[in-house]
Amino acid sequence: MNVTVRQLAEWVHGEVLGDPELAIGNARALADAGPGDITFLESDKNLAAWHNSRASAAVVPASV
């Protein structure tokens, strides 16, 4: 089942930065994420890995 980034943000009361209509098919760990996947960054120490990731989107705490 695909959902949009907008739908995911609404479910968690988050904010979308970027394309809210981007389709997401899976959630995967940062190291395993690819196109169509969403991942999670828990701190700014993961920013370099995020920039090298093929993931389409990420859930990121406001502090990052």
Side-chain angles (χ1 to χ4, degrees):
M1 174 176 102
N2 283 339
V3 297
T4 65
V5 171
R6 178 193 315 272
Q7 290 170 303
L8 293 170
E10 287 172 357
W11 294 341
V12 299
H13 305 285
E15 177 184 354
V16 176
L17 301 176
D19 181 2
E21 301 309 316
L22 184 66
I24 300 297
N26 291 299
R28 299 191 194 277
L30 182 58
D32 300 325
D37 294 337
I38 192 166
T39 192
F40 177 76
L41 277 71
E42 58 189 57
S43 72
D44 57 357
K45 69 181 179 183
N46 300 108
L47 288 176
W50 161 246
H51 290 293
N52 293 320
S53 171
R54 296 179 351 145
S56 294
V59 176
V60 181
S63 61
V64 175

